[in-house]
Each structure stands twice: as C-alpha cells, then as structure tokens.
Amino acid sequence: MALTAAMGSGIAGLRAFMDALNVVGNNVANVNTYGYKAGRVTFSESIYSTQSAGSASTDVTGGTNPSQIGYGSSVGTIDLDMGTQALESTGMTTDVAIQGDGFFLLGDKNGVGVDSLNSLMFSRVGNFKIDDDGYLTDGAGNIVYGFVTTTGEPNKDVNDNLTGGVKDGTAGTKVGGTSTNLVPIRLPMANENGEAVYPGVQGGKNVAPTKAEGSSCKCIKYENLRIGDDGKVTCTNSMTDEIVTIGYIALGSVTNPAGMTHTDGPYYQATDSAGDISVSTPKSSVFGQMDNGGTADAPDLLANSGTGVKSGFLEQSGTDLAQEFANMIIYQRGYQANTRIVTVTDTMLEELINMKR
C-alpha cells in the first residue's frame, strides 16, 4: 500500500511539473508578442493520509505529534504578471501604449450599458486604425470605446454638455462638448460641403446625425490621424483643412488585475475575481460614478492625473527569457526526479512479487 502511495506521489509530481513546463513553453513562445503577460506557477502539497493523530501531554506523559504521509504535489496557482512592461517605439501615430495600470476597452458597434461593462473586452495592445465605416478599431477589428465629441464645435461650452450629450443627435443641435457616455469611437459625419457634423449620443450609443440636416451620413475624409498622450483622437478634415477632435480613448481598471480571465489573443474579461470596474480617460481622475443611463458627472473627465498613454509605442512582452530558461531547468530536473520515484517504486514492487517464487 505504501509503495502504491509512493508511485502515486511520483505521478502527481510528473503531472505538476508538466503543467509548469507548459506555462514556460507558452511564455517563451510569446517572447515577442505585444502586450503579453507572462504566467507564473506556484506548487502546493496534495492531500495527506494520517497514520496516527497527535495527542496533548498529560500529567505523566508528554504529547505526541501526528504522523502523516503526503501524496505528491499539484499546481497551486497560475498567476499573470500584470505589471507594466517596457515600451517599444513603432513610429505609428495611432499606436498607443498604456503607462501604468488599466486596459483599453473594446466591443462591438452596439454600445454597452453601465451595468454591463464586464461584457467589454479588455486589452493592453493599442494598435488602432480607422475602418471603412469610420470606427476606431484594433488590429482584429474590435471597436475602441471612449468619449466622443458631440454635435457642435469640438470642446466648445463643455460644461453645458456634461450630463449625457446631445438630446436628439441631429446636425442642427449646436451644443458642443465631450460626451459623458462611454460609446464606440467613430469619425464625425460630413455634410454637403464636407464639413464635420458631430454625432449625438442616445442610450449609450454613438448616433449619426440625420439626413434632414444636410448630412450625407458618410464620414468625413480625413488625414493625419493621431492619438495623443492624453488619449485624444484627432485628424485633419481633408475637405476643410480643419483639425477635428474625434474623442478620447477610455481606459478601464479593475480592483484585482491579476483576477482577469484571459480569453483569446490579447483580450481579457473582467470576471467576478477581478473586482469592480472603473473607467477613466488617460491622465484623468477615475470616471466611474455612472448612472443607469450610461452617463456621469464628469468634472474630472479631462483632469491632469492618473494613468496615461504613450503615442507611437506598444507594450513589449512580459516574458523574461533568462528567468524562463532557469525555470525550465528547474522543472526539467523536478520532472526527472519524479520519474526516478516511479522507477524505483516499480522495482520494489517487482521484488515484492518475486518473493513468492
């Protein structure tokens, strides 16, 4: 029975070290993957069999300690190192890297309610571009979320528009400013003269102006698209040569970044273990007190503090090759030692069976 336990412990060790080697292999494979967060393995002891229980001392005899036999090891945790890594210059004005905690928020064109922010995808990779429908997207075509310039002149009378944006989203409404709704970021529409007509916001969605106000319902023709260190997305209207402020990229943060669930590629999901979600713009105070309509009081929306972004950079992989190779050797030797336990146990069992001969 004891020999069987020894073999079981060896097999458990083999399984644990194989899982650890799988983590190392994944880390090494992603040594050049932008935004990759390396995994780290910790081991834990498996269950114990108590041979004899401990006892307290008496007036005559001393106490005894329990006698227990363990049954190997197992993988305790596989954690992600969510710390900020070194940045790599790309020279692309639409590439941005996050400096500090936080994630870019990505989703589809349908918008999202304040009570369902965890349905968005979270990513540290900021390789952005404008698609053929005027939306700001990442390399996989997911829509970037943020706060857009609403109907009217950009950044004009901002305080008049801090409670939810434009009421009807038509081109005739001249209340300008930055929307407090978290919406998909999209280029403004163009009127008959090619001038920018800014959208409104309804129900948490970026609403295009109507044709009745002279809009062609096509996006402006742009050039010199740029994302600044404060997350401001700007371009030049090629028809009017005017600088257009499209909006500001949003950053999402959670209480426990290591509790994020890695889904596919560079994307994470904010599950229950991640804690509460807060939304901000780069270099701004937390912008998380939203009401059920998806809007918020935003006096600190563009404040100068907090996590920022770096334009023209992407975050490098979190893989430390030297550490991974050292771990590989340690896990390999651990695996090798456990094979010896299995081999020796097998030899002892063979001797036991041969006793009858």
Side-chain angles (χ1 to χ4, degrees):
M1 187 71 173
L3 291 177
T4 305
M7 182 171 286
S9 295
I11 294 173
L14 292 175
R15 185 180 298 112
F17 281 109
M18 191 69 252
D19 288 341
L21 281 170
N22 288 336
V23 173
V24 169
N26 190 52
N27 288 342
V28 172
N30 287 282
V31 67
N32 290 319
T33 302
Y34 288 124
Y36 176 75
K37 300 303 178 184
R40 184 200 65 173
V41 175
T42 61
F43 297 97
S44 66
E45 302 165 277
S46 292
I47 60 174
Y48 281 83
S49 172
T50 301
Q51 306 300 306
S52 62
S55 63
S57 61
T58 67
D59 293 338
V60 179
T61 62
T64 61
N65 296 326
S67 297
Q68 296 178 294
I69 297 177
Y71 287 90
S73 65
S74 62
V75 173
T77 63
I78 302 177
D79 304 313
L80 293 178
D81 180 5
M82 302 301 290
T84 302
Q85 303 301 321
L87 306 184
E88 180 177 323
S89 176
T90 65
M92 300 285 291
T93 57
T94 55
D95 286 344
V96 282
I98 298 174
Q99 294 183 299
D101 295 333
F103 301 84
F104 299 112
L105 301 175
L106 303 134
D108 56 29
K109 300 177 182 179
N110 294 323
V112 64
V114 66
D115 56 348
S116 57
L117 292 177
N118 57 359
S119 65
L120 293 173
M121 292 179 287
F122 292 67
S123 174
R124 295 278 298 187
V125 183
N127 57 331
F128 300 143
K129 60 181 176 61
I130 296 290
D131 72 358
D132 59 347
D133 202 20
Y135 285 93
L136 186 67
T137 68
D138 69 356
N142 297 299
I143 313 299
V144 182
Y145 274 61
F147 305 95
V148 296
T149 300
T150 55
T151 304
E153 297 298 325
N155 300 324
K156 179 181 178 182
D157 299 325
V158 175
N159 291 329
D160 292 336
N161 194 41
L162 289 179
T163 57
V166 177
K167 295 180 179 179
D168 59 7
T170 62
T173 306
K174 290 298 182 182
V175 178
T178 303
S179 168
T180 58
N181 294 75
L182 183 64
V183 295
I185 297 178
R186 191 184 189 187
L187 286 172
M189 299 295 106
N191 63 17
E192 295 176 352
N193 298 321
E195 298 172 333
V197 180
Y198 296 92
V201 174
Q202 292 178 328
K205 295 183 179 181
N206 190 337
V207 181
T210 62
K211 288 183 179 180
E213 297 295 335
S215 173
S216 62
C217 285
K218 292 183 180 179
C219 296
I220 61 170
K221 295 181 180 180
Y222 72 95
E223 55 189 18
N224 302 325
L225 182 69
R226 184 181 184 278
I227 301 175
D229 290 348
D230 57 356
K232 181 191 290 187
V233 186
T234 60
C235 68
T236 301
N237 186 337
S238 59
M239 298 296 293
T240 63
D241 291 330
E242 293 180 338
I243 302 298
V244 174
T245 298
I246 301 171
Y248 292 81
I249 289 176
L251 296 178
S253 61
V254 294
T255 308
N256 176 27
M260 302 284 281
T261 299
H262 204 166
T263 54
D264 182 33
Y267 306 113
Y268 299 85
Q269 184 177 3
T271 52
D272 292 341
S273 59
D276 296 331
I277 302 171
S278 297
V279 179
S280 66
T281 55
K283 296 184 178 179
S284 79
S285 299
V286 172
F287 183 59
Q289 289 71 42
M290 294 186 175
D291 62 29
N292 292 330
T295 64
D297 293 331
D300 297 323
L301 176 59
L302 305 179
N304 188 22
S305 64
T307 300
V309 295
K310 187 67 175 175
S311 178
F313 289 81
L314 290 176
E315 186 179 22
Q316 294 181 357
S317 170
T319 298
D320 183 340
L321 271 181
Q323 183 64 54
E324 296 304 326
F325 285 150
N327 289 342
M328 187 186 303
I329 294 172
I330 294 171
Y331 299 155
Q332 180 186 16
R333 294 308 182 191
Y335 189 92
Q336 190 176 39
N338 277 274
T339 62
R340 297 295 183 268
I341 295 294
V342 175
T343 301
V344 171
T345 304
D346 176 59
T347 301
M348 295 175 69
L349 286 171
E350 183 180 12
E351 292 296 326
L352 180 62
I353 292 172
N354 288 338
M355 287 179 61
K356 189 177 183 299
R357 294 181 181 178

